[in-house]
Amino acid sequence: MLTGGAQTGSSMSRLHLYVHPTCSKCRSARALLDAATSGLEYEVIDYLATPLRRSELEALAEAIGDGDQQEGSRLMLRDKDLARDRRAATADERLDALVADPKLLERPILRFGSKAIIARPPELVLEFVASLGSQST
């Protein structure tokens, strides 16, 4: 786990950026986040070095799917990386696939509290961070 930005606040009030370290979209999202978060703490989580537990994946799926775990799970799995005969149909199958092979996680993912996005394109991190500022006013 790497940390970027300023070192203030608790873990719950911090942004979390889930990355695959060699992914160009992840590197772009991190650069944009660095530029957009002056003074705001965030954590970079290399989910290949520290694979996410199923419960963590379920929480991300819920945050991404806005409460719809089935939809969040669909969005989180990189179907293009699966062989056609391995395509997972249910949320449980998709989460099982992600636990078994973390490289299948759609990335980058930016999370703050109970909200998360898949930052594709990476510029979505700017909208997400801006929406956090508008919620506090």
Side-chain angles (χ1 to χ4, degrees):
M1 180 177 353
L2 305 170
T3 303
Q7 301 300 306
T8 60
S10 71
S11 179
M12 289 304 292
S13 65
R14 186 181 327 162
L15 286 163
H16 295 86
L17 181 64
Y18 298 84
V19 300
H20 180 306
T22 61
C23 171
S24 63
K25 301 287 186 199
C26 293
R27 289 191 307 267
S28 294
R30 187 170 182 187
L32 289 166
L33 192 57
D34 282 340
T37 60
S38 61
L40 185 62
E41 182 178 344
Y42 73 94
E43 244 180 289
V44 176
I45 300 166
D46 175 350
Y47 62 83
L48 294 180
T50 308
L52 301 174
R53 294 184 309 268
R54 184 183 175 94
S55 60
E56 292 170 310
L57 290 167
E58 288 170 343
L60 274 177
E62 187 172 340
I64 291 167
D66 197 26
D68 182 353
Q69 194 177 56
Q70 176 70 29
E71 180 67 10
S73 296
R74 184 184 69 73
L75 291 172
M76 287 174 50
L77 185 62
R78 292 171 52 94
D79 274 337
K80 71 179 187 173
D81 292 339
L82 284 175
R84 284 201 186 278
D85 61 342
R86 288 189 53 215
R87 298 273 165 95
T90 68
D92 281 337
E93 290 172 339
R94 291 174 175 280
L95 289 168
D96 289 343
L98 290 168
V99 169
D101 189 358
K103 290 182 293 193
L104 297 176
L105 187 65
E106 188 67 79
R107 60 201 177 246
I109 296 174
L110 184 59
R111 180 178 188 166
F112 185 84
S114 62
K115 297 286 184 191
I117 61 163
I118 296 171
R120 284 190 172 259
E123 292 77 15
L124 289 176
V125 301
L126 300 174
E127 292 176 29
F128 189 76
V129 169
S131 75
L132 296 176
S134 67
Q135 290 175 7
S136 65
T137 57

